[in-house]
Amino acid sequence: MFKKPLWVSSPHVRLPPHSAIASAVVGSLLSLSVQAVLPIPFAVMDTNENITTELGNTALVGNTVNVASNVSNETQNIQSTAAEQLLAEWRKQVQTDNLAQHTTWRRLLYFLDDNKNIFTKGKNKSLIDDPTFFLADNGQQDSAAELDAILVALSQQLTLPAVSKKPADNSSVLCRFPARVNWLVETLGIHHTGLQVDCPELDEWMTMLDPEQLSIMFGQEYLDNPISAFAHTLLRIDSKASVADPSQIHHAYALNDTVDGNPNDNFLIFAIKAASGGYDNRIEIDPYPERLANYLQKDERDTWTYQLDLTPSEVQQIMLHVWETKDLDIPYYFATDNCASEILRLIDVVRPQQNLLSQLPYAVIPSDVIKLLDDEQLLTNTLYTPSDSTLRQAQLNKANAAARLGYQAFNKEDINAIKSEDVNLASSISADNKRLEPLEIAVSDNNPIDRQPLQRGHVAVGQRGDNSYIDLGLRAGYHSTLDRPAGFPQFLDLEGVAATLRLYDTDSDKANQPKSVVLQNFTLIRGRSFNPVNSAKKGHTWGASVEATRVDDGSQAQARDHLVASTAFEYGKSWVFGTPTANTGEMPPQLCYAFATGALQGGRGINKGFRVGAGVNAGCRYQINNRLRAQAELQLPYWYHGSSAQPDVQSHYWQPISTFGLQYDIDKKQALRINASYDWQDRVEANDDVKLSYMRYF
């Protein structure tokens, strides 16, 4: 409802007829209202006010409707001039400060100058090839062109009539690219009160999340899911309500970056595509309780949550940037562009001086990200949340202790009820799925901040048969049962991309001498998942390996070792024993296991060029103290090469091998290890192998 304007007569002004006055005055007042409804930048305010006054006076003394039309045209010309003036000033500042090449601006556009991916590193263009992500036609290749296009849009927005700024416009540059606009407004000192557009979709999204604080949540390694075998990280988005009370998780959301893989692909195809960028990444934003329940209840993984030391304005800027990028098709690379690298990239957008992503080695591993953020003092409050199986294990530990001391008798049904996830509903999440229950057990020794480095090198001296040697080895990751256990899930056994080079001290006078330098082993991946049957863990005990390794061919007399390609799978059972750490949900520290195994090996040096095997592997791992561990294993494979007409060649045979390992930790980054093995096949020329290694973790 508009109020009727008050008109004041002047003896010096002759008023036009009534109808002409109505038309002219309405047109002039509409023009005046353009400049009066909303504020505009100080740089053009005075000029526009003077021009508007003159235009108003012209309208008042005009006597036709054409006057209002002329005023409208002149106003548009003035607005265009003002836009050009603003744009000229901004362009001058952009050129002076070289803002088009500013690290933050390029990161906002996904020009990842510190990207580690071999397929995109060094390319001077954005990783995004979606044209909707850019205003400029060549924005993907030219960060300067994209910056200028944004400035043009901003200058036009600032000088629009105020009435045109009110309607909702989700396609506006202010709604599509709020993080870019926000950075430019702050950097160029633009008076943002003139930038007023309703963005219903963005406003609804931000209102739903109400981002006040960000935390990084670490879910520990889970070998039963290959994508999570090396752990996982996501962002917890806290609102004002969950900041005030962190246990009220129903007021928080989870931002999860994961691979958008095809569930119908088999494991091998899935792994190849995930590693090589054959899939896109997918950003999922879900209620935090739902996401957390998947870790604690479905996968039974403990989680560690660390508050990020970010200001509220940095949190807002990160979330605005997520808005710009959340629906884009961005290649996913398992080792380099993954859930952990995305979190570092988001922080790098608001903390360009720290260059977090460039500080990590080529492969970006979630636990390394946690350690880096801790080293950079970006982590504050820490929250440990035990999984359901950890809570059940704590109850089982108490029951077993009470039974041993004679305080209380537990029969088999009682123990099974404690171990059962269906009967025992103990959980860190309340039954209504809204809050975290108070922690009633001691914290487990699996905080990833306490880990030793995942990369490892070693030098060893040893003796195989009559030949001495030196071993030089390197492992890209991850952790074996003999490595220092602090900071890892119990009995984690997972190694990838490891190689050992062996240098023999050969004697040419002896027969069947090995070559002076040989590749002893190259492991692509090797792991074992232990879920002991007498613990509260669900799941199975299994193992798998893909490697190139040297083996002794027992089919021929005085057989030498040969390098073969080998793949193997194990399935069996495991058991724990001993006394667990008091009041924790940790399993007892000692482990025994037995596997049924199957293997396929191929290489030119062995009989028929291949052999297939089946058998049993059994062993135990013993934690002597905090620094000393031992492991012994007996392998009983039965090998088959195919039928042979040669009388001195066996087509099938047993080949028992016993192994022993002992490691002493000097400190967090150094250790000594003894390895010994004996091949019980009497046709093998060199049966025994013993070596002492110095291990360095880095």
Side-chain angles (χ1 to χ4, degrees), residues 606-664:
I606 60 176
N607 182 29
K608 299 285 188 179
F610 79 97
R611 64 178 183 173
V612 294
V616 174
N617 290 347
C620 288
R621 180 260 195 197
Y622 196 88
Q623 180 78 29
I624 301 172
N625 56 45
N626 289 338
R627 291 195 172 193
L628 190 62
R629 290 161 300 284
Q631 182 167 345
E633 182 171 302
L634 177 63
Q635 303 171 11
L636 294 170
Y638 189 81
W639 295 104
Y640 176 72
H641 289 264
S643 299
S644 175
Q646 302 179 36
D648 59 340
V649 175
Q650 294 181 341
S651 60
H652 50 86
Y653 53 90
W654 287 98
Q655 191 170 6
I657 299 175
S658 56
T659 63
F660 175 79
L662 179 72
Q663 176 160 318
Y664 174 77

Side-chain angles (χ1 to χ4, degrees), residues 116-408:
K116 299 176 182 299
N117 191 283
I118 59 175
F119 300 102
T120 56
K121 184 175 177 61
K123 293 185 178 180
N124 189 30
K125 69 175 185 178
S126 171
L127 188 62
I128 310 300
D129 57 9
D130 188 340
T132 63
F133 188 64
F134 306 97
L135 280 187
D137 292 339
N138 60 335
Q140 185 187 13
Q141 292 79 27
D142 191 343
S143 60
E146 182 64 17
L147 190 150
D148 194 69
I150 297 286
L151 291 182
V152 170
L154 288 180
S155 66
Q156 294 171 349
Q157 181 68 43
L158 278 170
T159 54
L160 281 174
V163 292
S164 69
K165 296 179 185 177
K166 289 184 176 179
D169 184 8
N170 287 313
S171 64
S172 167
V173 66
L174 302 174
C175 304
R176 292 173 58 194
F177 308 121
R180 298 180 212 179
V181 170
N182 193 40
W183 183 77
L184 286 172
V185 164
E186 292 184 359
T187 304
L188 295 174
I190 299 174
H191 200 273
H192 59 82
T193 55
L195 299 173
Q196 299 187 21
V197 172
D198 289 338
C199 303
E201 294 179 1
L202 173 60
D203 293 342
E204 181 182 1
W205 190 74
M206 291 293 284
T207 301
M208 176 189 73
L209 298 179
D210 188 21
E212 185 74 13
Q213 178 180 284
L214 294 178
S215 301
I216 182 171
M217 190 271 275
F218 174 87
Q220 64 182 8
E221 290 78 4
Y222 181 55
L223 269 64
D224 290 349
N225 182 350
I227 295 300
S228 297
F230 296 93
H232 190 70
T233 53
L234 56 79
L235 282 179
R236 168 172 164 164
I237 307 169
D238 279 302
S239 64
K240 292 181 177 63
S242 58
V243 168
D245 184 357
S247 69
Q248 301 299 311
I249 56 175
H250 64 294
H251 292 300
Y253 281 83
L255 190 157
N256 180 47
D257 186 274
T258 186
V259 59
D260 191 15
N262 185 346
N264 296 322
D265 287 343
N266 63 49
F267 173 75
L268 181 60
I269 297 299
F270 192 98
I272 293 173
K273 286 186 175 181
S276 62
Y279 295 128
D280 290 326
N281 80 332
R282 181 174 71 247
I283 293 179
E284 303 170 329
I285 298 180
D286 305 309
Y288 188 70
E290 296 178 10
R291 180 63 60 177
L292 184 62
N294 285 335
Y295 289 91
L296 303 181
Q297 298 171 357
K298 180 182 177 182
D299 296 345
E300 296 186 333
R301 304 156 69 177
D302 291 356
T303 68
W304 289 83
T305 306
Y306 312 88
Q307 180 184 335
L308 291 169
D309 189 16
L310 300 171
T311 66
S313 62
E314 289 173 333
V315 171
Q316 293 291 317
Q317 179 70 348
I318 285 176
M319 295 312 300
L320 291 177
H321 180 54
V322 170
W323 167 263
E324 296 181 4
T325 59
K326 64 183 177 64
D327 297 321
L328 296 173
D329 293 332
I330 305 171
Y332 182 96
Y333 296 91
F334 183 76
T336 57
D337 296 315
N338 51 35
C339 63
S341 66
E342 181 66 9
I343 291 175
L344 292 185
R345 193 192 66 79
L346 291 174
I347 299 174
D348 276 345
V349 167
V350 296
R351 297 284 182 92
Q353 71 280 4
Q354 290 189 280
N355 296 308
L356 297 173
L357 194 56
S358 65
Q359 294 187 46
L360 287 179
Y362 179 79
V364 181
I365 297 174
S367 61
D368 281 348
V369 168
I370 299 298
K371 291 173 71 77
L372 173 62
L373 292 173
D374 184 58
D375 292 341
E376 293 291 315
Q377 300 181 339
L378 281 168
L379 303 181
T380 55
N381 298 327
T382 300
L383 175 66
Y384 167 69
T385 310
S387 68
D388 289 11
S389 66
T390 298
L391 294 176
R392 295 197 304 271
Q393 184 67 46
Q395 296 177 10
L396 185 61
N397 292 344
K398 290 181 179 180
N400 288 332
R404 284 196 302 269
L405 295 173
Y407 294 150
Q408 188 174 357

Side-chain angles (χ1 to χ4, degrees), residues 657-660 675-680 687-691:
I657 299 175
S658 56
T659 63
F660 175 79
N675 290 98
S677 67
Y678 190 85
D679 191 328
W680 296 87
N687 300 86
D688 57 315
D689 192 329
V690 180
K691 68 178 178 180

Side-chain angles (χ1 to χ4, degrees), residues 545-605:
S545 65
V546 179
E547 60 185 342
T549 189
R550 302 194 77 82
V551 300
D552 291 299
D553 182 352
S555 66
Q556 305 176 56
Q558 295 183 330
R560 295 174 52 190
D561 63 340
H562 303 279
L563 186 68
V564 300
S566 174
T567 181
F569 183 78
E570 305 171 306
Y571 187 85
K573 293 184 181 297
S574 57
W575 301 264
V576 287
F577 60 97
T579 303
T581 304
N583 199 35
T584 69
E586 296 179 4
M587 292 180 285
Q590 323 306 350
L591 173 75
C592 285
Y593 53 87
F595 293 103
T597 67
L600 173 63
Q601 296 178 346
R604 290 184 301 174

Side-chain angles (χ1 to χ4, degrees), residues 100-119:
Q101 302 305 318
H102 193 285
T103 301
T104 297
W105 177 251
R106 290 176 65 82
R107 286 175 178 169
L108 285 169
L109 300 179
Y110 258 93
F111 283 81
L112 302 185
D113 300 316
D114 50 5
N115 189 29
K116 299 176 182 299
N117 191 283
I118 59 175
F119 300 102

